[in-house]
Amino acid sequence: SAFGGVRKVATPMKTVVGNPIPFPTVDETGNEGEFVAESVAASAQDIAFGTTQIGAFKVSSKKFAVPFELLQDQGPGIDVEAFIRRSAANRIARIQNRKFTVGTGTNEPQGIVTAAASGRVGPTGQTAVVYYDDLVYLEHSVDPAYREMPGVGFMFHDTTLRSLKLLKDGQQRPIWVPGVSTKEPDTILGYTYTINQHMASMAANAKSILFGKLDEYMIRDVMQVTLFRFDDSAFISLGQIGFLAWARCDGRMITG
């Protein structure tokens, strides 16, 4: 299955060390300046800053063993260890994307869904369907100043996209607009979308569709995925070679 949904839209950050890094958060959408008459002092209104920290959690591929016959007897042009490295990296990528999506933020990344506020809640009884009106309400739950910025779009599971492709507006026009004559990406209500298979399919109480400035989610990588090989007696006595991959990362919304 696909496992790169959040990384496609998030802001990346790579560091050499993994100490926590504080980021200021602020929501200024409700504040504005003022007109001031001649010789009249300006009034005061401080910015209410918050702080969030992005750290570095350790993640493993889980240990796995490979019979040494498989490594010894690989045919010409077949690189078994390359397959092992790719499999270990894919394991880590899958769990990372899951936690970047729905992680609690306690001893693991804070998922982008976890950090998101509700923009549109379907009425009682509406569980496995979404209507055109729902998408419009969700779009307009985000301040217009943010909707016009780069990085704004939708994110959902592939089964949700299937349902959205079948939706039509009041004039029976599909709201899913495919790019055919141009190189523009496919869009929903004029916004691009990202498929994320770790998002919930539409169901009761599920957060199944995200909309907003998705690049405000930051992913921090402290080290590249590192594969370790074990030739110790615990594996050798079974005729096996052990492998384990490690990485360090965190994910978090960095603006309020």
Side-chain angles (χ1 to χ4, degrees):
S1 62
F3 47 81
V6 181
R7 281 193 183 272
K8 290 180 181 178
V9 298
T11 297
M13 179 176 67
K14 293 185 178 181
T15 60
V16 177
V17 295
N19 55 296
I21 299 175
F23 280 89
T25 62
V26 63
D27 185 355
E28 277 283 287
T29 55
N31 297 333
E32 58 185 25
E34 62 180 356
F35 286 92
V36 180
E38 184 176 348
S39 301
V40 174
S43 61
Q45 183 179 31
D46 291 335
I47 296 176
F49 283 104
T51 302
T52 188
Q53 289 196 124
I54 186 165
F57 298 105
K58 188 164 62 174
V59 56
S60 87
S61 64
K62 300 180 181 177
K63 292 185 291 185
F64 55 94
V66 178
F68 68 80
E69 294 93 339
L70 182 62
L71 296 173
Q72 289 181 338
D73 299 342
Q74 56 187 305
I78 300 176
D79 189 344
V80 175
E81 289 208 34
F83 175 81
I84 292 169
R85 289 192 297 271
R86 184 168 63 251
S87 297
N90 287 348
R91 285 186 178 191
I92 286 180
R94 288 190 182 95
I95 187 60
Q96 284 181 334
N97 191 70
R98 181 183 299 280
K99 297 303 182 181
F100 293 155
T101 305
V102 295
T104 64
T106 302
N107 298 321
E108 63 186 25
Q110 177 199 47
I112 190 171
V113 173
T114 307
S118 294
R120 168 67 172 175
V121 178
T124 301
Q126 181 183 333
T127 57
V129 295
V130 62
Y131 298 111
Y132 177 77
D133 289 3
D134 296 323
L135 295 176
V136 173
Y137 276 112
L138 179 59
E139 175 192 7
H140 288 272
S141 69
V142 176
D143 190 277
Y146 289 100
R147 296 203 308 262
E148 296 175 358
M149 291 183 177
V152 175
F154 289 96
M155 179 180 286
F156 34 68
H157 192 280
D158 188 61
T159 56
T160 301
L161 175 62
R162 181 182 61 196
S163 297
L164 294 176
K165 286 182 176 181
L166 300 174
L167 281 182
K168 298 178 177 62
D169 63 16
Q171 285 70 48
Q172 294 302 300
R173 297 171 301 189
I175 67 167
W176 181 75
V177 182
V180 177
S181 60
T182 68
K183 293 183 179 180
E184 292 300 315
D186 299 335
T187 60
I188 297 290
L189 298 182
Y191 299 96
T192 59
Y193 62 83
T194 302
I195 298 299
N196 182 349
Q197 292 299 85
H198 287 121
M199 284 196 62
S201 297
M202 289 186 291
N205 301 315
K207 291 183 177 181
S208 56
I209 301 178
L210 286 181
F211 176 77
K213 197 171 185 301
L214 302 178
D215 60 2
E216 290 190 353
Y217 188 82
M218 175 174 282
I219 292 177
R220 179 189 186 187
D221 292 304
V222 177
M223 58 182 283
Q224 298 290 337
V225 176
T226 304
L227 182 68
F228 295 87
R229 172 172 171 156
F230 302 95
D231 297 320
D232 56 67
S233 58
F235 289 101
I236 294 299
S237 63
L238 297 173
Q240 299 173 334
I241 304 297
F243 294 91
L244 173 65
W246 290 101
R248 296 177 71 196
C249 68
D250 196 6
R252 192 165 296 271
M253 294 296 293
I254 58 172
T255 58

